[in-house]
Amino acid sequence: VTARVPAGESGRRGGDAGGAGGGADEEPEAIERREVEASVVYQIVARLVMSGDWPQMPSDDPESEARIVAQFVAGIGSLVLPAKQWRGHVCWGKFQGISDFDRLQELVADALARLQAARRARAVAAAKTALGAPTAAASKAASK
């Protein structure tokens, strides 16, 4: 599977970032390529779903949301996000060159799960701060 990964914020594409499934005897280069691929997808997905113009999804189902986001970053219009309305968005079609849509959807699902976990962690930290509980940074500073 060959995929083209965007190079930086310029929107240009380049590099081979394909690959499927990780095995115990997978080459170190393939493992590194998969990690880079996941990182790039995470960055684009985070930029997309955290932007102010990203709509509320009609479903709270993580699999449905991952499919909708994967379609968006692959440049595939849908009833939820029609191409005519969204094709000018900076993240539209960033991964248009990926030939394995299921792999892209898997990477997007992982990115969305990481984002949700980070949001939960921030919410817990904010709640602790609001309740007067010391944060990890405050506890560390106090112990010095």
Side-chain angles (χ1 to χ4, degrees), residues 101-127:
F101 183 80
D102 291 334
R103 175 72 180 135
L104 176 60
Q105 186 173 338
E106 177 185 316
L107 290 169
V108 167
D110 291 346
L112 290 170
R114 281 180 58 193
L115 283 167
Q116 189 162 18
R119 286 178 181 153
R120 275 194 302 263
R122 275 192 299 253
V124 167

Side-chain angles (χ1 to χ4, degrees), residues 8-144:
E9 289 294 341
S10 67
R12 291 176 290 153
R13 300 181 199 288
D16 178 34
D25 51 337
E26 191 172 18
E27 297 286 329
E29 295 84 15
I31 293 169
E32 182 177 349
R33 184 176 50 229
R34 290 171 50 81
E35 290 172 358
V36 168
E37 179 183 58
S39 176
V40 170
V41 170
Y42 177 81
Q43 291 171 22
I44 297 299
V45 169
R47 180 176 184 179
L48 175 64
V49 301
M50 292 172 61
S51 70
D53 55 349
W54 186 248
Q56 180 67 33
M57 290 293 106
S59 172
D60 289 335
D61 176 41
E63 189 174 320
S64 296
E65 185 178 8
R67 182 160 192 83
I68 290 168
V69 173
Q71 286 175 323
F72 188 94
V73 297
I76 301 170
S78 66
L79 291 175
V80 177
L81 300 167
K84 187 175 183 178
Q85 179 182 349
W86 288 94
R87 91 168 11 119
H89 193 281
V90 68
C91 295
W92 176 268
K94 281 287 192 182
F95 300 108
Q96 202 167 6
I98 291 184
S99 60
D100 186 353
F101 183 80
D102 291 334
R103 175 72 180 135
L104 176 60
Q105 186 173 338
E106 177 185 316
L107 290 169
V108 167
D110 291 346
L112 290 170
R114 281 180 58 193
L115 283 167
Q116 189 162 18
R119 286 178 181 153
R120 275 194 302 263
R122 275 192 299 253
V124 167
K128 285 182 180 179
T129 301
L131 295 173
T135 62
S139 297
K140 189 175 182 179
S143 67
K144 288 186 175 184

